[in-house]
Amino acid sequence: MDSRILPSDLPNSKLNDYTYEQGFDEHLLLNSEFADCYTCPICYGIPRNPVIIKLCGHFFCECCLKKQFLPVDYVPDDPDVIQCAVCKGYFQQSHLIAFEDFYTAMKKAYHLVRLRCPNGCPFIGDPQEMDRHQSFQCDLREVRCPSIGCEVTMPFHQLRDEHVAVCPKLMIYCESCLLPVKREQLKEHNCKERMAAAIKGIS
């Protein structure tokens, strides 16, 4: 792997962490008139993946609401229920409406929301565009080196432009035998032994 074939969509190293998955901070919002309409009452951010409780109509981040699941004894067939942070009513998971099932007008309004990139790059987009950008596209996102055994985490542009050229765990190809070898093992690499081992492994 080198900078020319480094996957451009390496995921943000914080992906799937709750503090990352919750809503975007309101200071990133460019059209503040949407703040009251599309703010999660749990994290007070603009949801990346919004959901609505259909029985009360309150709007949340999916990840925030799912952290509110509580076990109760009086729902034997579905022990997970959700307590609405606004009205305090209890609702089952089946009462959630995912974004793809929102009314068309609600989807269109949500896509009018404009956010700045949390990493500080010039990108501007709606919450779902920003989620993709921050997770897989922003040059300033923190990513982990994909080389097996390498624990380095740094901004993607730095990984691409600097680290790949020196990563000791990077698999490169020997110019003599064309077999892959870790950069840190290249000096001790024995072409004849590796070729023999490769042939033996095939037979």
Side-chain angles (χ1 to χ4, degrees), residues 91-112:
F91 305 99
Q92 298 179 30
Q93 187 173 2
S94 59
H95 295 145
L96 292 183
I97 302 176
F99 180 77
E100 55 266 25
D101 297 319
F102 282 15
Y103 290 122
T104 300
M106 292 184 68
K107 289 182 181 179
K108 288 183 177 179
Y110 183 72
H111 285 306
L112 292 176

Side-chain angles (χ1 to χ4, degrees), residues 13-129:
S13 60
K14 298 176 183 176
L15 202 62
N16 299 322
D17 185 289
Y18 171 65
T19 58
Y20 175 87
E21 295 289 341
Q22 63 187 10
F24 294 103
D25 196 295
E26 282 191 31
H27 82 273
L28 300 171
L29 189 62
L30 294 176
N31 38 4
S32 58
E33 65 270 21
F34 287 101
D36 293 336
C37 303
Y38 294 110
T39 299
C40 172
I42 296 176
C43 70
Y44 302 105
I46 308 299
R48 297 168 183 269
N49 298 300
V51 293
I52 291 176
I53 300 175
K54 65 182 177 182
L55 297 183
C56 65
H58 293 130
F59 187 90
F60 296 86
C61 297
E62 181 180 23
C63 68
C64 289
L65 200 56
K66 288 189 173 180
K67 282 181 70 69
Q68 304 300 305
F69 284 159
L70 301 171
V72 292
D73 297 330
Y74 58 85
V75 191
D77 296 328
D78 187 2
D80 287 333
V81 299
I82 302 163
Q83 183 180 28
C84 177
V86 179
C87 64
K88 307 303 180 184
Y90 287 90
F91 305 99
Q92 298 179 30
Q93 187 173 2
S94 59
H95 295 145
L96 292 183
I97 302 176
F99 180 77
E100 55 266 25
D101 297 319
F102 282 15
Y103 290 122
T104 300
M106 292 184 68
K107 289 182 181 179
K108 288 183 177 179
Y110 183 72
H111 285 306
L112 292 176
V113 174
R114 285 293 174 267
L115 299 165
R116 294 189 297 269
C117 177
N119 297 326
C121 86
F123 184 83
I124 292 174
D126 68 41
Q128 292 188 328
E129 291 171 337

Side-chain angles (χ1 to χ4, degrees), residues 7-17 20-22 24 48-49 117-119 123 127-144 156:
S8 61
D9 60 350
L10 286 177
N12 192 306
S13 60
K14 298 176 183 176
L15 202 62
N16 299 322
D17 185 289
Y20 175 87
E21 295 289 341
Q22 63 187 10
F24 294 103
R48 297 168 183 269
N49 298 300
C117 177
N119 297 326
F123 184 83
Q128 292 188 328
E129 291 171 337
M130 189 59 69
D131 184 47
R132 287 191 298 273
H133 170 75
Q134 188 187 15
S135 298
F136 302 105
Q137 299 168 350
C138 183
D139 273 359
L140 300 179
R141 72 191 186 277
E142 291 284 322
V143 297
R144 181 174 174 175
F156 176 78

